[in-house]
Amino acid sequence: LLTPIVWFWAALAPVHTLSHSHMSHPDPNHAASNTPLLEAEDHVIFGHEPTVVPSKSDDPAAAGWNLTTVGASWHVWNYESIVDRLDMPLWPDAMEEARVVLSSEMCRHKIHLPPAPFMPQPGIEYCGIHVSATAGAAVAAQGDVEAAAARIQMRQWMSAFMEWSPASTDEGTYEHNDDRRSPDMISPASFVNIGASGIYYFKPFAPSHALSGHMGSRLDLIDYAVGSGHILRELAFPQVLQRGRSWLDNHRVEISLRRTPQGFVKVAVQSISLVHPSADISVLPRANATSQLAWIGPTQDSRSFVVSSRAPGRAPLEVPSVFYAQHDTSTQPGGTVTERTRDFSSFHPSLHIVAQADLIPRLESGSCRIDTFVFLPPTYFFDPYQLHEVRGGLGMDYRHYGPVELEKPAEVMRNWGSILHIWQRPHLTELDALVPIHARYRLPPVLDRTVGYSGEPAGTTHVDTALLPAIAAVMCPTAEIPRLKSGNSILDKLNVRLALLDELGLAAFSVLTTSPDTDTLVRMPVGDATYASQIRTATLVAFGLGAAYVVWFVRNLLSQKKTTSADKPTTNKGSKRD
């Protein structure tokens, strides 16, 4: 029998998703088996040592483990499988990897539990859905034309993967406020170009999905994915149950897909969750998968162990010191990043960003630097031409990702937003930049209310929007950041690949804390939609009166010319000879 995760990928190839160009059914004579190969899953628990007892079952393949946990623990589930590429739209030749990340790291209440060494550092990944795809290095080396062609294919593939159906045109555009467009679906035009040959999309979680670390009020990202309108609703999930119900408080879910040299697609799913204290937790292995359960102690002296569904008893798990060094705060610089808006109620506000890091030898020598990321919604934009002119005074370098469109109104922008990546020049421990931004003008509320566009709070004369706070981190060369390479598959899979940073080839050595003085409120002046009908009536009346006056004026002018021509005496040329 095929497992649910295989049905998940098999559901990715309906006929309508293959209607895009560059997508077609492969030759069935060369089709490989649809059966998943090399299924494997790891359950890793980090925290107080649990009591692990093999569960009893008449079916040996369904036998798992019963856990008793004393305190809250971190749980990581890593699942890998290889599936046939026929189970999804035809993989573009240029695409190397596709990723979907659901992260709650920056919108969850503080958890009174020490982070595990494999956890992303607080303040480094925006809360929401991150979707990206990257092409191989060979494509970027071929030039801009090849990279642009690869991006077109990846946009179409990712849109099909996320079950986007264009509402009206072949270009994947849509009409504003079209009811046929699901908010959880992504159009090809929504992606922005990043890096040398990648695409990226981000959507923050709605305010109603405020996250909490408490049992009674939490957002389970697995449940969110299952209940969403896109393909993630078929996402498989780890079988960690308490009285038949899921006992995980999911913080982060990542799905990555890579094509193998043999033409298959390697699927990897990782979820990071909290396991709450309980004496009745069941861990069930997936059918047809090699399953392992490991416990990693909080210190290197802990007697970490691993148990397998294929072998009885527990085996010791050697955890190298570099695993614990990944979050050794004594070797990482601290610091803060503050962002405040200036002229927040104008059409041309500015963002004053100050990032300060503790002095460390790496920063002093110039081998590391402070990098800052600023995200804007489609209602605001960076002017890269203006940034190029003022960057000398900013004392920084930058890269801009997003459409360079300075004239279109906010309502017709198809992309999700834009990113500004700035970094200070070497030998500095502080970044102090005043970044100008601009508000896109809004269409007048003629046919419908435009206030409240893209989830903004409704208003009458203005719309208040809180921008995402800037993310700042000390970035160092990869060689200077300890990476776990133990040769043990369980440990090596625990590294978290951060959304966006991984696509840009960056690695954060230390994340700066967002200052409580951060204030990112911007106020967009808009027309008062409550007077839309009166304004529309007055405009039509004024237009009609103006047109009537023009007609009257022209007719009156023509009448005067005709009268003047009739009253003018005629002269007889022959009278002079008389």
Side-chain angles (χ1 to χ4, degrees):
L1 294 177
L2 298 178
T3 61
I5 188 94
V6 179
W7 288 114
F8 161 49
W9 303 120
L12 295 177
V15 175
H16 74 274
T17 62
L18 297 173
S19 61
H20 302 286
S21 59
H22 306 291
M23 293 185 183
S24 61
H25 288 287
D27 186 351
N29 295 326
H30 296 86
S33 171
N34 286 327
T35 304
L37 307 174
L38 305 176
E39 282 191 274
E41 65 169 345
D42 298 330
H43 295 267
V44 181
I45 299 175
F46 182 87
H48 297 284
E49 182 175 2
T51 301
V52 181
V53 179
S55 61
K56 297 180 180 180
S57 175
D58 296 333
D59 183 5
W65 305 276
N66 293 329
L67 304 182
T68 299
T69 55
V70 177
S73 305
W74 290 110
H75 173 274
V76 177
W77 181 66
N78 283 309
Y79 174 85
E80 288 187 353
S81 177
I82 295 179
V83 297
D84 187 342
R85 61 186 297 178
L86 292 180
D87 291 337
M88 59 191 69
L90 182 61
W91 190 279
D93 292 334
M95 188 166 69
E96 183 178 73
E97 182 184 29
R99 283 213 301 163
V100 179
V101 176
L102 291 84
S103 177
S104 65
E105 193 274 316
M106 289 184 68
C107 57
R108 184 180 291 269
H109 295 320
K110 298 296 181 182
I111 304 298
H112 301 290
L113 184 66
F118 48 79
M119 290 286 289
Q121 299 182 44
I124 192 62
E125 194 174 65
Y126 284 127
C127 175
I129 302 176
H130 307 256
V131 183
S132 62
T134 53
V139 175
Q142 292 175 2
D144 295 339
V145 176
E146 288 74 11
R151 284 189 170 112
I152 292 175
Q153 295 183 33
M154 292 190 297
R155 288 170 185 265
Q156 294 173 335
W157 193 93
M158 293 302 294
S159 297
F161 177 73
M162 301 300 287
E163 285 192 336
W164 168 260
S165 296
S168 56
T169 68
D170 294 335
E171 289 78 15
T173 58
Y174 61 90
E175 297 297 330
H176 181 58
N177 290 338
D178 194 322
D179 292 336
R180 291 172 292 179
R181 176 178 180 266
S182 169
D184 287 320
M185 296 181 181
I186 306 174
S187 82
S190 297
F191 292 89
V192 300
N193 297 336
I194 61 166
S197 57
I199 59 173
Y200 176 78
Y201 169 88
F202 171 72
K203 178 184 177 181
F205 285 130
S208 61
H209 292 139
L211 307 183
S212 170
H214 303 286
M215 282 294 296
S217 55
R218 69 176 187 265
L219 170 63
D220 187 320
L221 295 183
I222 296 290
D223 288 342
Y224 178 85
V226 172
S228 63
H230 46 63
I231 197 62
L232 296 180
R233 67 178 181 269
E234 299 294 339
L235 182 66
F237 53 89
Q239 296 289 324
V240 180
L241 310 175
Q242 200 265 348
R243 296 179 181 176
R245 302 182 63 181
S246 176
W247 197 239
L248 296 179
D249 183 7
N250 292 283
H251 282 238
R252 190 179 189 273
V253 177
E254 175 181 344
I255 307 132
S256 65
L257 301 94
R258 282 180 174 269
R259 187 173 59 176
T260 67
Q262 296 77 20
F264 296 97
V265 175
K266 182 179 180 180
V267 180
V269 181
Q270 182 188 70
S271 67
I272 301 178
S273 314
L274 277 177
V275 177
H276 299 276
S278 175
D280 186 18
I281 302 178
S282 300
V283 179
L284 304 179
R286 298 191 60 81
N288 304 321
T290 301
S291 302
Q292 299 181 100
L293 185 147
W295 172 73
I296 299 178
T299 66
Q300 194 172 3
D301 297 331
S302 304
R303 294 186 175 182
S304 303
F305 62 84
V306 59
V307 294
S308 173
S309 60
R310 301 292 176 88
R314 64 174 62 181
L317 178 63
E318 297 294 334
V319 182
S321 58
V322 68
F323 179 84
Y324 299 96
Q326 291 181 113
H327 268 250
D328 186 357
T329 57
S330 63
T331 62
Q332 298 176 356
T336 60
V337 55
T338 305
E339 179 182 3
R340 298 186 66 86
T341 54
R342 292 188 178 181
D343 301 325
F344 76 100
S345 60
S346 72
F347 284 102
H348 309 283
S350 299
L351 304 178
H352 185 208
I353 302 173
V354 178
Q356 296 176 314
D358 299 337
L359 181 63
I360 59 172
R362 291 186 179 93
L363 277 176
E364 192 175 22
S365 65
S367 62
C368 298
R369 67 189 189 190
I370 300 176
D371 286 43
T372 304
F373 294 88
V374 186
F375 281 35
L376 286 183
T379 48
Y380 287 84
F381 67 94
F382 303 103
D383 185 346
Y385 306 109
Q386 183 184 18
L387 291 174
H388 181 76
E389 294 175 356
V390 303
R391 68 175 178 176
L394 296 176
M396 68 175 193
D397 289 318
Y398 76 92
R399 288 192 181 97
H400 174 261
Y401 303 112
V404 182
E405 176 54 66
L406 312 181
E407 302 298 333
K408 287 185 178 180
E411 285 78 5
V412 300
M413 292 304 297
R414 306 300 197 245
N415 63 293
W416 65 265
S418 55
I419 308 169
L420 185 66
H421 173 204
I422 59 180
W423 63 90
Q424 110 291 16
R425 290 164 184 170
H427 308 288
L428 294 176
T429 59
E430 177 178 336
L431 183 147
D432 190 337
L434 188 65
V435 180
I437 63 175
H438 306 275
R440 297 191 185 277
Y441 69 90
R442 314 300 283 267
L443 294 178
V446 176
L447 299 178
D448 58 5
R449 294 173 62 94
T450 58
V451 176
Y453 168 78
S454 189
E456 298 164 324
T460 54
T461 60
H462 63 272
V463 173
D464 288 343
T465 303
L467 303 178
L468 292 170
I471 291 177
V474 176
M475 302 288 182
C476 299
T478 306
E480 298 191 21
I481 300 178
R483 292 297 181 191
L484 180 62
K485 293 182 179 180
S486 65
N488 186 298
S489 62
I490 294 178
L491 298 177
D492 293 343
K493 293 176 186 176
L494 291 179
N495 284 326
V496 173
R497 301 169 54 213
L498 295 170
L500 182 63
L501 295 189
D502 192 81
E503 282 75 11
L504 295 178
L506 298 173
F509 177 69
S510 177
V511 180
L512 306 186
T513 304
T514 302
S515 170
D517 294 333
T518 293
D519 183 3
T520 60
L521 179 68
V522 286
R523 175 165 291 176
M524 168 84 74
V526 295
D528 192 341
T530 57
Y531 298 101
S533 59
Q534 295 92 322
I535 294 174
R536 182 165 59 250
T537 302
T539 301
L540 293 176
V541 171
F543 178 81
L545 292 176
Y549 173 77
V550 170
V551 172
W552 172 83
F553 180 82
V554 172
R555 293 186 61 181
N556 187 52
L557 183 62
L558 294 176
S559 177
Q560 290 179 1
K561 286 185 177 181
K562 185 180 295 186
T563 302
T564 303
S565 176
D567 294 341
K568 186 176 180 179
T570 59
T571 58
N572 191 345
K573 295 182 180 180
S575 61
K576 292 183 178 180
R577 291 194 299 268
D578 295 340

